[in-house]
Amino acid sequence: ITSVAHDLRTPLTSIIGYLDLVSSKEQSEQTRKKYIEIAYSKSKRLEKLIEDLFTYTKFNFGEVKPAYTEVDMVKFINQLLDEFYPSFTDNELEYEFTASHPSAVIKADGDMLARAFANLISNAIKYGRDGGKVVFCLTKEEAGITITVTNYGEVIPEKDLEQIFRRFYRVESSRSSETGGSGLGLAIAQSIILMHGGCVTAQSDENGTVFTVVLKNEPETN
């Protein structure tokens, strides 16, 4: 509750402050426009925080059940990367995707996995922007698939790697405020992947920060 209250209060305090300035004091039109734009930006951040909180709660408490269909993960990753192309461009990042096979079909909930991998891609863009590129690799095996997402930003300390999937955990609070992270993106991704009977791990050194996702061909169902 303390973590949630702090994260929600920070943008809300800014919104109230700027709107108070706009409504209670004489300002030039340019200044009023600037304050309103800031308040709107903070409102969108608050909306994202609340959306992530609801999403995490639903996944964590089993309120959402996967609807399994056949998903070709090669096409799936290519489609996601196309959707993120503007973000890569805006952050001056190149990306590469290699697959061991032209097709890799598993049974999964495509919408849920899209949310999980979108969070992993967003994380790679946010914290790998200084590295110049993000590399995606898919390997098809007999039991399932392995997908790695590698960025070449700053090395994550080992003590942080142990906590990185914990809800509300941030590697650097100052950097997180700049990038607008909710501290829930990786926790949501992990919840979805675990729900599919898979796993996600992270490692980081001078050769890059690698998130590895392992998914089975068919998830175990109760």
Side-chain angles (χ1 to χ4, degrees), residues 133-160:
K133 68 177 179 178
V134 180
V135 176
F136 301 83
C137 181
L138 183 151
T139 304
K140 182 179 178 181
E141 296 141 0
E142 186 176 346
I145 61 168
T146 299
I147 298 172
T148 59
V149 181
T150 306
N151 75 72
Y152 300 93
E154 293 182 22
V155 174
I156 300 174
E158 190 169 344
K159 65 180 179 65
D160 291 310

Side-chain angles (χ1 to χ4, degrees), residues 150-155 203-210:
T150 306
N151 75 72
Y152 300 93
E154 293 182 22
V155 174
Q203 64 182 63
S204 186
D205 55 32
E206 63 277 2
N207 295 316
T209 296
V210 186

Side-chain angles (χ1 to χ4, degrees), residues 41-167:
S41 174
K42 298 291 183 181
S43 297
K44 296 299 291 183
R45 168 159 167 70
L46 188 59
E47 180 183 49
K48 180 67 166 59
L49 284 168
I50 293 171
E51 179 188 346
D52 281 351
L53 180 60
F54 275 121
T55 300
Y56 175 77
T57 302
K58 286 180 179 179
F59 286 134
N60 198 47
F61 288 95
E63 295 180 18
V64 180
K65 301 297 181 185
Y68 295 115
T69 60
E70 290 191 345
V71 179
D72 185 338
M73 294 302 294
V74 175
K75 291 181 180 178
F76 174 89
I77 295 297
N78 273 315
Q79 182 178 338
L80 270 179
L81 293 177
D82 285 343
E83 293 173 5
F84 272 91
Y85 177 78
S87 295
F88 284 111
T89 302
D90 290 344
N91 288 279
E92 299 181 345
L93 278 168
E94 296 181 358
Y95 65 86
E96 300 174 6
F97 175 44
T98 59
S100 64
H101 293 70
S103 177
V105 177
I106 65 171
K107 282 194 175 180
D109 186 311
D111 291 335
M112 284 191 184
L113 283 188
R115 180 65 182 266
F117 279 96
N119 287 351
L120 291 175
I121 294 170
S122 294
N123 183 79
I125 291 173
K126 286 176 184 177
Y127 299 116
R129 61 182 62 176
D130 296 333
K133 68 177 179 178
V134 180
V135 176
F136 301 83
C137 181
L138 183 151
T139 304
K140 182 179 178 181
E141 296 141 0
E142 186 176 346
I145 61 168
T146 299
I147 298 172
T148 59
V149 181
T150 306
N151 75 72
Y152 300 93
E154 293 182 22
V155 174
I156 300 174
E158 190 169 344
K159 65 180 179 65
D160 291 310
L161 277 176
E162 298 173 359
Q163 306 288 334
I164 201 167
F165 293 105
R166 201 183 77 198
R167 61 190 182 277

